[in-house]
Amino acid sequence: MNIVGELINASRKKIRDDIKDKNYDVIARVAKDQFENGADFIDVNAGIFVGHEADYMKWLIQTVQENVDAPCCIDTPDPQVLEEAIKVHKGTPMLNSISLEKDRYDKMIPILKGTDMKVIALCMSDTGMPYTREDRMKIADQLINNLVQNNVKLENIYVDPLVQPIGSGDNLGMEFLNTVEEIHGKYEGIHTVCGLSNISFGIPSRKFMNQSFMIMAITKGLDSAIMNPMDQQMMANIIAAETLAGKDPFCEKYMNAYREGMFEFK
Ligand code: THG
């Protein structure tokens, strides 16, 4: 599992003011904590600061990269913010995200073209949020074909079929999961990703929902997630579920995790 740490996001009440005040030590700590707990990428999102998003985004990227040796997942719907952010980013970032929304799509393609950046292809279009697997696949197919035509490698595409809160529709979980399965069956070498914690918005004891949904998604082939790596039980479940899903030859990763004490909780 390719893990994108979700905690540096200004929409979270806990960290909003620390970003607003550019509290260096706090952001550095949250970046390090996520990295030390297994994050491969650090998501950075300053979307709530309308008119100042680019400024905050650049500061977040610099602060993260001065403290951990990991690329960022640059989380903004605004292509202009993205373009400025890429300039200060060291190494190859993950762009979060392109979608089929026309404005966003047209401005994102030239930014991506000819680069080796990873890109999240979010299943959203100008006609609104997808509800069923068919809705999601229609958008995913178009996005993937267009990206490939622009010479983006399948290996650099992370399709996000869009996790919506289970509280807004009983079938939203399964429609998402079945899309993940269909994408992996149809496009070999492509990746899938999601904002995992979206599933539990508005529901109590969210971590059980998030953990269960992750295990279900692993059985469908999900190979990346924007999530909270500080949930040790989640991290242990991922190791076990991937072994059970046949992704861990000779249980090697599982045994290593055991030896490193990953299954003993504090
Ligand atoms: N797809 C893509 N990018 C995304 C999302 C997605 N980026 C943003 C979001 N969705 C994923 N990130 C988060 C971050 C935090 C929470 C949920 C999704 C979250 N946060 C609080 C918490 O930590 O408990 C709750 C809110 C608060 O503190 O006010 O739930 O789907 N491509």
Side-chain angles (χ1 to χ4, degrees), residues 118-136:
K118 300 171 194 309
V119 63
I120 296 181
L122 182 65
C123 290
M124 283 229 302
S125 72
D126 289 315
T127 60
M129 308 265 262
Y131 191 82
T132 61
R133 173 175 57 86
E134 288 79 7
D135 293 345
R136 291 174 158 92

Side-chain angles (χ1 to χ4, degrees), residues 11-266:
S11 72
R12 296 182 62 231
K13 285 187 208 81
K14 261 192 180 161
I15 206 163
R16 180 175 307 165
D17 288 341
D18 292 307
I19 297 177
K20 188 163 158 271
D21 301 338
K22 296 195 176 174
N23 194 339
Y24 186 92
D25 292 347
V26 171
I27 303 306
R29 183 77 260 154
V30 176
K32 278 187 218 163
D33 283 346
Q34 294 187 94
F35 182 68
E36 283 160 14
N37 280 276
D40 302 289
F41 289 83
I42 309 292
D43 192 86
V44 282
N45 182 315
I48 64 161
F49 302 113
V50 180
H52 306 275
E53 186 183 352
D55 173 52
Y56 280 108
M57 183 62 95
K58 285 188 280 186
W59 178 77
L60 284 177
I61 291 170
Q62 284 163 337
T63 305
V64 168
Q65 293 202 304
E66 281 165 21
N67 288 281
V68 299
D69 188 15
C72 291
C73 177
I74 307 174
D75 191 349
T76 174
D78 186 336
Q80 228 170 312
V81 172
L82 207 58
E83 206 165 3
E84 286 196 49
I86 290 164
K87 286 185 200 150
V88 303
H89 189 279
K90 292 182 285 178
T92 316
M94 179 182 282
L95 308 187
N96 184 11
S97 54
I98 193 169
S99 74
L100 213 55
E101 295 154 286
K102 191 167 171 19
D103 262 14
R104 187 164 165 187
Y105 179 84
D106 287 345
K107 290 180 182 154
M108 278 280 298
I109 285 291
I111 298 174
L112 263 175
K113 227 177 165 161
T115 74
D116 199 36
M117 292 189 281
K118 300 171 194 309
V119 63
I120 296 181
L122 182 65
C123 290
M124 283 229 302
S125 72
D126 289 315
T127 60
M129 308 265 262
Y131 191 82
T132 61
R133 173 175 57 86
E134 288 79 7
D135 293 345
R136 291 174 158 92
M137 281 309 298
K138 246 188 236 167
I139 304 174
D141 285 332
Q142 289 185 63
L143 273 171
I144 295 163
N145 289 332
N146 293 354
L147 286 168
V148 169
Q149 273 170 17
N150 283 282
N151 296 323
V152 179
K153 297 187 207 109
L154 274 186
E155 292 75 19
N156 281 338
I157 303 175
Y158 291 71
V159 182
D160 182 346
L162 191 63
V163 171
Q164 295 182 61
I166 194 65
S168 20
D170 296 341
N171 293 322
L172 286 170
M174 286 314 297
E175 296 290 344
F176 167 87
L177 294 168
N178 291 332
T179 313
V180 170
E181 183 171 42
E182 187 168 343
I183 289 169
H184 284 292
K186 200 164 172 180
Y187 300 99
E188 211 191 314
I190 209 162
H191 300 284
T192 49
V193 66
C194 69
L196 185 74
S197 333
N198 296 352
I199 195 68
S200 60
F201 270 133
I203 279 179
S205 294
R206 293 179 65 177
K207 71 175 195 175
F208 298 101
M209 282 279 185
N210 298 344
Q211 287 172 10
S212 300
F213 199 54
M214 174 57 95
I215 294 171
M216 294 168 80
I218 287 171
T219 70
K220 302 292 197 178
L222 186 83
D223 61 14
S224 322
I226 306 166
M227 50 166 267
N228 178 5
M230 306 311 287
D231 180 347
Q232 288 184 301
Q233 240 162 356
M234 169 76 83
M235 298 302 277
N237 281 340
I238 290 173
I239 303 274
E242 288 196 317
T243 301
L244 293 167
K247 287 195 163 178
D248 181 17
F250 307 106
C251 303
E252 192 183 338
K253 287 183 189 161
Y254 184 88
M255 292 308 296
N256 285 339
Y258 166 73
R259 286 187 202 102
E260 286 161 18
M262 264 193 80
F263 304 129
E264 292 156 34
F265 301 113
K266 283 170 225 146

